[in-house]
Amino acid sequence: MSLENYTLDNLETFIGQPLGVSDWVTIDQERVNKFADCTGDHQWIHVDLEKAKASPLGGTIVHGYLVLSLLPSLTADLRMLPQGVMYALNYGADRIRFTSFVPVGSRLRNHVELLEVTRKPNGGILLKTKNTMEIEGQEKPAMIAETLLMIFPA
């Protein structure tokens, strides 16, 4: 099914369909360190290169919540929002699973699928999407998250 006809009026026909795949993003140690500074999560598995290298991990790994926090930027260029949307608000998540370690230096991209559409009495439309964060070169994804986005028509 083509997203060319993806509109506010026919969102429901796209349930179960992929909405797109993001570009790749590389997660380097500098980004991990900045995330640690922002959140106060300086656990050695994320920021201590020498200790992590000597561990069974073989090096530092990306924070799970950093992977989750990439969703807005990785979906910004996708056609998740049909024409005619005035604004969209993050409404939360129903399920998040961090399914694989992400070594620092990895490239990630997000696959988005529309799961549910709920039209609200206030005119808002709640979209539930499945986000599968792929790690380049690995079969198992980094994360699978069902997230909620409230959109409001213009």
Side-chain angles (χ1 to χ4, degrees), residues 126-139:
L126 185 63
L127 303 180
K128 182 176 184 177
T129 59
K130 178 181 178 184
N131 298 271
T132 303
M133 194 70 75
E134 175 187 3
I135 307 169
E136 186 177 43
Q138 292 192 29
E139 191 172 317

Side-chain angles (χ1 to χ4, degrees), residues 18-51:
L19 297 181
V21 179
S22 73
D23 290 334
W24 290 102
V25 62
T26 301
I27 310 301
D28 61 16
Q29 190 64 53
E30 181 181 4
R31 181 178 279 198
V32 170
N33 292 345
K34 287 180 179 179
F35 188 84
D37 289 342
C38 287
T39 62
D41 181 358
H42 291 91
Q43 187 177 9
W44 66 267
I45 62 175
H46 305 302
V47 298
D48 188 329
L49 300 172
E50 294 308 313
K51 189 172 182 179

Side-chain angles (χ1 to χ4, degrees), residues 4 8-9 25-26 46 65 91 108 119-120 133-134 137 153:
E4 291 175 13
L8 289 170
D9 294 331
V25 62
T26 301
H46 305 302
Y65 284 116
Y91 200 74
L108 303 175
R119 296 184 184 269
K120 300 292 187 176
M133 194 70 75
E134 175 187 3

Side-chain angles (χ1 to χ4, degrees), residues 12-154:
E12 289 81 1
T13 63
F14 289 86
I15 293 173
Q17 300 296 316
L19 297 181
V21 179
S22 73
D23 290 334
W24 290 102
V25 62
T26 301
I27 310 301
D28 61 16
Q29 190 64 53
E30 181 181 4
R31 181 178 279 198
V32 170
N33 292 345
K34 287 180 179 179
F35 188 84
D37 289 342
C38 287
T39 62
D41 181 358
H42 291 91
Q43 187 177 9
W44 66 267
I45 62 175
H46 305 302
V47 298
D48 188 329
L49 300 172
E50 294 308 313
K51 189 172 182 179
K53 191 178 284 189
S55 79
L57 296 169
T60 52
I61 61 172
V62 178
H63 301 77
Y65 284 116
L66 172 52
V67 173
L68 178 65
S69 73
L70 295 171
L71 289 181
S73 66
L74 290 181
T75 57
D77 293 336
L78 300 181
R79 182 104 196 271
M80 257 187 68
L81 299 178
Q83 289 184 350
V85 173
M86 182 181 350
Y87 62 96
L89 299 172
N90 178 356
Y91 200 74
D94 278 353
R95 182 177 172 90
I96 302 165
R97 295 293 181 264
F98 301 109
T99 53
S100 185
F101 293 122
V102 179
V104 170
S106 296
R107 287 181 7 128
L108 303 175
R109 70 178 174 182
N110 186 30
H111 297 253
V112 182
E113 176 186 337
L114 184 61
L115 295 179
E116 293 177 16
V117 175
T118 306
R119 296 184 184 269
K120 300 292 187 176
N122 67 356
I125 304 169
L126 185 63
L127 303 180
K128 182 176 184 177
T129 59
K130 178 181 178 184
N131 298 271
T132 303
M133 194 70 75
E134 175 187 3
I135 307 169
E136 186 177 43
Q138 292 192 29
E139 191 172 317
K140 195 172 183 182
M143 178 191 74
I144 300 171
E146 294 178 2
T147 59
L148 305 169
L149 186 70
M150 184 69 76
I151 60 175
F152 293 91

